Structure formats: structure tokens, C-alpha cells
């Protein structure tokens, strides 16, 4: 089995490599190719990857290359984890929206739109080259904004499934609190990428007992602290929102916070510099503890599980993924991309039936889906008016004066990445 990681020079990659090594019985990789245009980073990451495989007695071959076409040729699956513009672009995404009093974040709001505009054309070019070289390969998208990028891939006819680590993070956290194995925990996870709620936590599978009320009663303070939301909010909702919902539920508070401290991008850039220095140490043969602070917890487990299921291996029968709605949420178009529990196999991902969604959540889901429609149109066709309309539609923007100012700033900060600008 050959697997290719595009963006293999990322500092995330050793987390992925560690998962491939530990879970080799689930996903028996014989060749792993790391593709990245940054040859210097690729050498450091590739060297550590080989040492991790060697330490854990993994017989698979690890290849590094800057040649995308050569890297994806013959691959059974291609995992996308790229960041167009690097941390410098992320730094901009997190700062210029604050000038207009809006949240600065790399996956939602104005910063999220900027990332979508930079990313969608690049990902579609990569996917077309994968299709020309190997049309049967699955594309697993971990590149943010996952919902918009996955929708672009699916609409272009690619065999693609989107993946995020939010759900697996909740699954692992709840399993630890309950004292059960993660595989016993089934989430009623509903919404869009980075806009989801856990409406039930079932032990033993989709039909198991819902223990969410007990979790909130016994561990509500700890869960609320992790989400940085007040405990009474969780008690009143009776659900556990994704931590990304804080940008919506406490927008003004978050804007004040972001304007008073260094950006997350600056923190990550400093962390990446230190990580790359570590990766260059020939004695290092395991992922360093610092990597846990980089983000992406349980990313490798989620990626292995999904790839194994798509390739006919031993992955879990039900997984939270990003895929076409296809009637699952009746208030959305069929071609909207939702994030939900799905039956995953060689056929792809088929969403499981979802109980009716409360208007409190359905309204926001529908609003952000409309924004994603407009964002994808802007990413595919360009133009200031399309950018403005997408921003005006986003509930974190929503006012024409903000949308105007943000449009000008977005274009100015991203001109080198926007062919139409």
C-alpha cells in the first residue's frame, strides 16, 4: 500500500508518522511518500520520519520528494495537509480582521475566507494531477477550511473525504472521563466543519445509552473550561459545542482578547522553529513532547482510521467526516458538505440518519452554509464583488461597512496568491 502526504514537510508530520508506525496492523503501508516544495524542511522531517519507523520496526519505505507528480503516482490514497502562504499568511489572517472589529482566525470569518481563496485553486490543481496520474486514488483532505475545500473537491468529481480532529478529540476526552475505551464512544456530532455540536454521547454504538447528561452533571466545569465558555451556557444548551463556537457565542469578548496578546500564528511560528531544530537532531527518533502544543491532537489516529476504511482495511465502521449532505440535514442543499457520523468503506462515506436539528443550531448551520456557497464561488471565480458578498453573508461580519473594509484588506494582504487580483 502506497500513501502520499502532500505538505509532508509540515511540523505536524511526525505526529502522522508516529500513528502510521503504531497502527501498522490497521493500515499496512509499504511505501510512504512525503511531498513538499520546501526541500530544507522536507529533509529534516523525512529524516525524523525514517528514524521513527526504524525505532518502531516498521518495514515501510519512506520517500521524500519535491516532485508532486512523481510523489502521487501509484498512490492508493493522497492526504492533503498544506498551508498556502505558510505561517506568514496565517499571521495576516489573524490580525487584519481585528482592524475592523471582527474575529481574526484562520478558518472562520474573514481570515477563514482569505485562506479559502488562497487554498481552493491550489488544492484543485493538485487533485487534477492526482487524477491524471492515478484516478483511483482517494483524496483525504485535512487542509483548512476543510468544509469548503472538500466541497470544491467533490464538486470537481474527485474521490474525496474531509477530515478534522475535533470529533476524535471529544471522543477521546469523553472516553477518559467515562473510563471506557474510545471505540465504545459514539458521538451525535452534527453541523459543519468547525461549527458542530455534540448532542448525545452514546456508549456502545449508535443505539447505546446517551450519557451526555451525566457527563455534563459530573464534569461540566472541566468541559466548560476546555471550551472557555461559562458552565451555565452548557447547562442551558444541554449540548457540547465545538470550541470554535466561542467565536460566535462570545464574539466581542474574543476580539478584545485577540487584540491584547500575540497571535496564535506568532506562537506557532516560534514553536515550529524550535521543532525543526529538534527534527534535525540525528539522535531524535520519536515525536517530541513539544509537538503536542502545536495542535492536531489525535490527527494520526483519525487519518489512519479513515484511510484504512476507504482502502478496505480494518478501520472503524462509523467515523465523523466531511462529505455531501445528500438529504441528511433537510434544511440544506444536497451538495452542501456537512460534518457528521458516516458509514465509511471502500464506497466512500455515507452519512448516518440524523435526528431533527433544533432551530438554534439549524439556523446558524444554514447561515454559514450560505456563506460557504459564496466563499467557494469567490475562490473559483474571483472578483471583489464575490468576496464582498461572502463576507457580508458571514455571521461574524454581517454589516456592509465591515464587509467593505475587510474586502479591501483581504485583497491587499493576499494579492500574490490571487490570480484575479
Amino acid at each position: 500500500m502506497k500513501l502520499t502526504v502532500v505538505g509532508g514537510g509540515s511540523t505536524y508530520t511526525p505526529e502522522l508518522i508516529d500513528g502510521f508506525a503504531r497502527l501498522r496492523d490497521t493500515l499496512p503501508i509499504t511505501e510512504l511518500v512525503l511531498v513538499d516544495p520546501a526541500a530544507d524542511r522536507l529533509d529534516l522531517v523525512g529524516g525524523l520520519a525514517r528514524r521513527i519507523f526504524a525505532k518502531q520496526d516498521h518495514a515501510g519505505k519512506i520517500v521524500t520528494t519535491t516532485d508532486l507528480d512523481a510523489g502521487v503516482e501509484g498512490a492508493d490514497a493522497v492526504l492533503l495537509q498544506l498551508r498556502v502562504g505558510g505561517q506568514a499568511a496565517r499571521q495576516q489572517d489573524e490580525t487584519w480582521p481585528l482592524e475592523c472589529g471582527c474575529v481574526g482566525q484562520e478558518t472562520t470569518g474573514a481570515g477563514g475566507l482569505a485562506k479559502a481563496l488562497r487554498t481552493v485553486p491550489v488544492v484543485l490543481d493538485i487533485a487534477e494531477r492526482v487524477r491524471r496520474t492515478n484516478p483511483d486514488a482517494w483524496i483525504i483532505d485535512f487542509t483548512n477550511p476543510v468544509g469548503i475545500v472538500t466541497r470544491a473537491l467533490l464538486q470537481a468529481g474527485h474521490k474525496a473525504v474531509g477530515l478534522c480532529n475535533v470529533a476524535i478529540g471529544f471522543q477521546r476526552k469523553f472516553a477518559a472521563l467515562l473510563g471506557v475505551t474510545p471505540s465504545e464512544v459514539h458521538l451525535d456530532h452534527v453541523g459543519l466543519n468547525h461549527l458542530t455540536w455534540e448532542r448525545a454521547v452514546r456508549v456502545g454504538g449508535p443505539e447505546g445509552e446517551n450519557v451526555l447528561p451525566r457527563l455534563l452533571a459530573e464534569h461540566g466545569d472541566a468541559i466548560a473550561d476546555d471550551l472557555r465558555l461559562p458552565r451555565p451556557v452548557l447547562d442551558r444548551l444541554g449540548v457540547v459545542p465545538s470550541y470554535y463556537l466561542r467565536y460566535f457565542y462570545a464574539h466581542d469578548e474574543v476580539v478584545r482578547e485577540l487584540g491584547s496578546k500575540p497571535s496564535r500564528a506568532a506562537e506557532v511560528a516560534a514553536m515550529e522553529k524550535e521543532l525543526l531544530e529538534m527534527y534535525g537532531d540525528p539522535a531524535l527518533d520519536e515525536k517530541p513532547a513539544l509537538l503536542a502544543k502545536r495542535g492536531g491532537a489525535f490527527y494520526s489516529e483519525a487519518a489512519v482510521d479513515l484511510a484504512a476504511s476507504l482502502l478496505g482495511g480494518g478501520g472503524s465502521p462509523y467515523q465523523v467526516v466531511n462529505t455531501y449532505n445528500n438529504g441528511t440535514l433537510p434544511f440544506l442543499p444536497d451538495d452542501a458538505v456537512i460534518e457528521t457520523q458516516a458509514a465509511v468503506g471502500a464506497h466512500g462515506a455515507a452519512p448516518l440518519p440524523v435526528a431533527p436539528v433544533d432551530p438554534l443550531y439549524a439556523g446558524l448551520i444554514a447561515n454559514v452554509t450560505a456563506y460557504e456557497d459564496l466563499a467557494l464561488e469567490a475562490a473559483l471565480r474571483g472578483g471583489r464583488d464575490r468576496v464582498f458578498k461572502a463576507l457580508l453573508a458571514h455571521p461574524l461580519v454581517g454589516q456592509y461597512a465591515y464587509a467593505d473594509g475587510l474586502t479591501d484588506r483581504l485583497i491587499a494582504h493576499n494579492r500574490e496568491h490571487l490570480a484575479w487580483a
Side-chain angles (χ1 to χ4, degrees):
M1 179 184 297
K2 177 178 178 179
L3 193 72
T4 299
V5 180
V6 178
S10 168
T11 53
Y12 271 132
T13 299
E15 162 70 24
L16 190 62
I17 299 299
D18 178 73
F20 288 158
R22 288 185 293 103
L23 303 171
R24 55 184 174 272
D25 290 340
T26 302
L27 189 68
I29 297 170
T30 54
E31 182 177 358
L32 176 64
V33 183
L34 307 180
V35 179
D36 203 293
D40 52 345
R41 292 171 62 107
L42 193 59
D43 287 343
L44 295 173
V45 174
L48 175 56
R50 294 185 183 96
R51 295 193 295 274
I52 291 174
F53 264 30
K55 181 179 182 179
Q56 300 197 33
D57 295 322
H58 194 299
K61 176 184 178 184
I62 293 179
V63 176
T64 59
T65 181
T66 58
D67 185 333
L68 175 65
D69 294 324
V72 302
E73 185 174 4
D76 296 289
V78 177
L79 195 152
L80 305 181
Q81 58 168 30
L82 56 144
R83 182 184 296 279
V84 180
Q87 293 298 330
R90 177 178 180 173
Q91 169 72 13
Q92 293 178 354
D93 294 344
E94 294 180 351
T95 51
W96 55 261
L98 297 173
E99 298 170 6
C100 295
C102 295
V103 161
Q105 212 278 331
E106 65 160 342
T107 65
T108 192
L113 176 61
K115 187 168 190 184
L117 297 183
R118 294 193 304 269
T119 304
V120 166
V122 173
V123 165
L124 288 179
D125 176 66
I126 292 169
E128 285 299 329
R129 292 164 72 175
V130 171
R131 179 153 55 188
R132 287 199 301 267
T133 303
N134 185 12
D136 294 325
W138 278 102
I139 295 177
I140 298 173
D141 178 59
F142 201 75
T143 297
N144 283 317
V146 168
I148 295 173
V149 173
T150 301
R151 186 169 179 180
L153 288 165
L154 290 173
Q155 287 188 349
H158 297 290
K159 294 175 59 178
V161 180
L163 182 63
C164 179
N165 70 325
V166 167
I168 196 173
F170 277 130
Q171 183 197 44
R172 298 301 198 266
K173 184 181 299 293
F174 295 155
L177 293 173
L178 293 166
V180 300
T181 63
S183 62
E184 294 178 83
V185 175
H186 183 92
L187 303 176
D188 179 0
H189 178 104
V190 66
L192 311 176
N193 180 239
H194 290 184
L195 193 85
T196 52
W197 296 262
E198 311 305 329
R199 301 186 301 170
V201 178
R202 302 188 183 280
V203 175
E207 306 302 323
E209 177 192 3
N210 178 20
V211 298
L212 180 56
R214 174 157 63 92
L215 273 171
L216 289 174
E218 297 177 2
H219 304 285
D221 288 342
I223 295 170
D225 286 347
D226 283 346
L227 299 174
R228 300 187 64 202
L229 288 171
R231 166 71 185 273
V233 172
L234 300 191
D235 291 337
R236 293 171 71 181
L237 295 177
V239 303
V240 177
S242 158
Y243 47 83
Y244 287 94
L245 265 297
R246 187 168 182 261
Y247 297 117
F248 296 82
Y249 291 164
H251 176 274
D252 294 351
E253 178 184 342
V254 172
V255 168
R256 288 191 295 270
E257 286 179 7
L258 294 175
S260 65
K261 64 180 183 179
S263 67
R264 174 63 177 165
E267 295 176 359
V268 170
M271 204 179 302
E272 285 201 331
K273 182 178 179 182
E274 187 175 353
L275 284 169
L276 289 170
E277 289 175 355
M278 291 179 175
Y279 295 172
D281 180 357
L284 183 67
D285 57 6
E286 60 185 13
K287 64 177 183 180
L290 178 62
L291 188 54
K293 298 181 180 179
R294 173 67 179 83
F298 309 114
Y299 160 42
S300 60
E301 284 89 341
V304 167
D305 207 16
L306 178 55
S309 293
L310 293 173
L311 299 176
S316 304
Y318 306 119
Q319 297 171 44
V320 173
V321 298
N322 286 260
T323 191
Y324 270 150
N325 177 46
N326 281 338
T328 307
L329 301 181
F331 54 90
L332 296 183
D334 284 350
D335 66 349
V337 165
I338 62 173
E339 185 171 290
T340 191
Q341 286 278 2
V344 183
H347 62 280
L352 300 182
V354 170
V357 179
D358 188 290
L360 179 61
Y361 315 123
L364 187 53
I365 292 169
N367 189 337
V368 175
T369 296
Y371 150 75
E372 291 188 348
D373 290 345
L374 296 167
L376 183 54
E377 183 76 359
L380 294 174
R381 300 181 63 192
R384 187 188 188 281
D385 285 349
R386 294 188 180 93
V387 174
F388 170 81
K389 289 176 181 177
L391 287 167
L392 188 62
H394 201 296
L396 296 182
V397 180
Q399 298 183 50
Y400 71 84
Y402 288 171
D404 251 338
L406 290 167
T407 298
D408 291 337
R409 286 168 172 81
L410 186 155
I411 294 172
H413 284 284
N414 291 276
R415 199 175 300 276
E416 66 179 295
H417 300 292
L418 306 177
W420 52 268

